Amino acid sequence: MLILQLAIILVASKVAGSLSVRLGQPSVLGKLLIGIILGPSVLGLITEAETLTEFSQIGVILLMFLAGLETDIDEFKRTGKASIFVGLGGIVVPLLIGYITGIAMNFTNFEAWFLGLLLSATSVSISVQALKELNQLNTREGTTILGAAVIDDVVVIVALAFLMSFAGGDVNLTAVILKKAAFFAGAILVGWKIVPWFLRKFSNLKVTEVVISSALIVCFVFAYLAEYTGVAAIIGAYIAGVAISVTNFKEEITEKIETISYSIFVPVFFTSIGVSAQFSGIMDNFGLVAVLSIIAILTKLLGASVGAKLSGYKWKNSLGIGSAMVSRGEVALIIAAIGLESKLLSQDLFAVIVVVILVTTIVTPPMMKVFFNTADKKKKSRNVA
């Protein structure tokens, strides 16, 4: 059954992606939508099997690993201030508006703050693919977005631990912060000193494709340690990619990892997002889904865009950056699952939040296309003039 499902996903995602491009949209949009059609909500051809979930997890890890490989370190340093402004702006506005919304819905203080944190999360795995298709990943804007996503992830997870400790959860806030600090310090040190040495030594082994295997080892170890210390695995994979990007192996690794990733794992990841959508009974809460979706989209767009503007970007570029931060993705799903388990979210509200997360993910690629294309046209018109 798994083999047949993989075949269906690969055929459908490639065809849907191509159709999306023909319609003037990023291919990732078609891949997301075809997942909904193939999933239990519509045709029921693909079900959420544990193995498919693991394939999907590998897909998003490899996607962020590739983003790290294509990151320009010098540009990353130059955009540090902008990343901080965008990351914090994209947290503060959704957090406050989410809290006010929760209070208006008669939530307790803790529940309202939890909703705000949930809306503050960002997952740029979808945005990374859209940036690649729009040729924006290696630009100043693309680097700012990736840096802001790292900041967003760390701040939101630490804030979540802080909230859970006050809400009666079994959370040692000091230990949480120290674990995350230890991971980032260790990852930077290992990436700087050990990763290049490891690649050189491992590449001397007399077996086939040893360079690619060594790169995957680094990627998966960093991703595992990130997840183990409470940082998202995708952040660990991204840092691993950045570490390898400054070595002489970058070109070979990037080319072959792209082949591995886009042939099977990444299509499964994109399609599985749509497959995981559950719409049964959601019409009873359609109004709430609509309201929360609008709030989720506008607050992140506004907060991140204002942050970009304050750091020196023009409005068109700022809106492009803000749109890339809208997708909540797997990071928000993890937080929502924590809320359900700790009874900060009811089962009905959890179902609503899952659909809202899906909506933010689907609207992100076309929004990015609109804002980035508009910014590019203005830039070209100035050059012509």
Side-chain angles (χ1 to χ4, degrees):
M1 187 62 178
L2 172 64
I3 297 173
L4 178 59
Q5 290 192 357
L6 285 174
I8 293 172
I9 287 173
L10 291 177
V11 170
S13 65
K14 296 299 182 183
V15 171
S18 177
L19 181 60
S20 183
V21 172
R22 287 176 180 272
L23 294 174
Q25 295 299 322
S27 68
V28 64
L29 179 61
K31 295 171 184 176
L32 292 170
L33 293 175
I34 199 65
I36 297 175
I37 295 171
L38 294 175
S41 297
V42 184
L43 296 180
L45 295 176
I46 306 296
T47 56
E48 274 194 282
E50 184 176 345
T51 308
L52 277 180
T53 302
E54 296 299 331
F55 266 74
S56 174
Q57 176 73 351
I58 294 172
V60 68
I61 286 172
L62 291 177
L63 187 63
M64 293 305 293
F65 181 51
L66 283 168
L69 283 168
E70 297 182 26
T71 295
D72 184 329
I73 289 291
D74 293 332
E75 189 66 58
F76 196 84
K77 292 175 183 176
R78 286 193 291 269
T79 59
K81 173 188 171 184
S83 293
I84 293 172
F85 275 66
V86 172
L88 294 182
I91 291 172
V92 171
V93 176
L95 177 64
L96 294 178
I97 300 300
Y99 171 76
I100 293 170
T101 302
I103 294 298
M105 294 169 62
N106 295 320
F107 284 12
T108 65
N109 264 328
F110 284 126
E111 291 170 343
W113 281 121
F114 183 84
L115 179 62
L117 273 178
L118 184 56
L119 295 178
S120 302
T122 289
S123 177
V124 295
S125 51
I126 298 296
S127 302
V128 163
Q129 180 60 27
L131 286 168
K132 286 172 71 72
E133 294 182 28
L134 295 169
N135 295 318
Q136 296 287 339
L137 186 58
N138 294 321
T139 63
R140 181 171 172 241
E141 289 83 358
T143 307
T144 297
I145 290 163
L146 290 168
V150 175
I151 292 167
D152 191 302
D153 180 71
V154 174
V155 172
V156 168
I157 291 176
V158 170
L160 176 63
F162 187 80
L163 179 67
M164 296 300 289
S165 67
F166 277 96
D170 186 18
V171 176
N172 186 326
L173 186 60
T174 302
V176 168
I177 296 174
L178 287 177
K179 281 174 68 177
K180 288 169 176 51
F183 167 75
F184 280 101
I188 292 170
L189 179 62
V190 170
W192 178 32
K193 292 293 186 181
I194 297 178
V195 167
W197 172 85
F198 172 74
L199 290 176
R200 288 194 302 271
K201 293 296 183 182
F202 209 78
S203 64
N204 290 326
L205 296 180
K206 303 303 180 182
V207 289
T208 58
E209 301 296 355
V210 67
V211 173
I212 306 307
S213 295
S214 62
L216 289 172
I217 290 168
V218 172
C219 171
F220 292 147
V221 168
F222 272 57
Y224 169 76
L225 291 175
E227 195 163 78
Y228 179 76
T229 54
V231 180
I234 57 175
I235 301 300
Y238 176 71
I239 294 174
V242 172
I244 294 175
S245 72
V246 297
T247 70
N248 294 329
F249 300 100
K250 173 184 175 178
E251 300 289 336
E252 179 184 357
I253 290 172
T254 301
E255 180 182 348
K256 293 189 175 180
I257 293 295
E258 278 188 339
T259 301
I260 295 170
S261 304
Y262 286 102
S263 60
I264 182 167
F265 293 106
V266 172
V268 172
F269 163 63
F270 289 139
T271 306
S272 68
I273 293 175
V275 170
S276 64
Q278 297 289 340
F279 296 105
S280 57
I282 208 66
M283 291 306 295
D284 296 336
N285 293 301
F286 181 79
L288 183 58
V289 170
V291 170
L292 288 181
S293 295
I294 292 170
I295 290 173
I297 294 166
L298 293 183
T299 54
K300 183 66 79 170
L301 177 64
L302 176 64
S305 297
V306 170
K309 177 63 177 174
L310 291 175
S311 66
Y313 283 101
K314 296 185 182 300
W315 266 118
K316 292 295 182 183
N317 303 88
S318 298
L319 288 168
I321 292 170
S323 65
M325 299 292 288
V326 167
S327 175
R328 302 316 199 270
E330 68 280 356
V331 175
L333 287 173
I334 292 169
I335 296 175
I338 292 171
L340 180 64
E341 184 180 344
S342 58
K343 302 191 185 312
L344 288 171
L345 289 179
S346 66
Q347 185 65 54
D348 286 346
L349 186 56
F350 175 79
V352 167
I353 291 296
V354 169
V355 177
V356 170
I357 292 170
L358 180 64
V359 170
T360 64
T361 302
I362 289 174
V363 302
T364 295
M367 284 175 61
M368 291 175 64
K369 183 175 178 63
V370 169
F371 289 125
F372 276 114
N373 280 356
T374 302
D376 285 344
K377 286 177 182 176
K378 288 195 73 172
K379 189 184 298 183
K380 288 177 182 177
S381 66
R382 285 196 301 271
N383 290 340
V384 171

